Amino acid sequence: MQTDDAVSALYARVGPSAYRLALSLLGQRAAAEDVVHEAFARLVARLDGLRDPQALDGYVTRAVRNLALNRLRRRRNAEAATETLAAGASGWVAPVD
């Protein structure tokens, strides 16, 4: 229960700024909420292995930033693939065996 209280206190302290960071990077509220939730879930899962428990604020901020940037990369790659498929569809020719 002590861990739950510590995580709740950390969320109360860092959650709003973590959300603002994610929202500024992603531009979508639901995506920002997902990223913050994932960052805290990862924190809880790795709590025992953290080297410097005093640096939790920085850990959360870094995790949110990295998760948001990864999501942006995936979004950009998916959009590029869709554009490539759309461009190629007009001149697509079936391969000959």
Side-chain angles (χ1 to χ4, degrees), residues 55-69:
L56 291 179
D57 293 23
Y59 174 88
V60 171
T61 301
R62 179 63 61 137
V64 166
R65 179 184 168 276
N66 289 342
L67 290 167
L69 292 176

Side-chain angles (χ1 to χ4, degrees), residues 2-18 36 39-41 43-44 47 50 53-61:
Q2 189 176 5
T3 300
D4 292 344
D5 293 341
V7 172
S8 294
L10 179 66
Y11 187 83
R13 188 173 66 246
V14 181
S17 62
V36 172
F40 273 90
L43 170 72
V44 169
L47 210 50
L50 292 177
Q54 302 302 317
L56 291 179
D57 293 23
Y59 174 88
V60 171
T61 301

Side-chain angles (χ1 to χ4, degrees), residues 33-45:
E33 290 171 1
D34 289 346
V35 162
V36 172
H37 176 77
E38 186 174 347
F40 273 90
R42 287 183 180 198
L43 170 72
V44 169

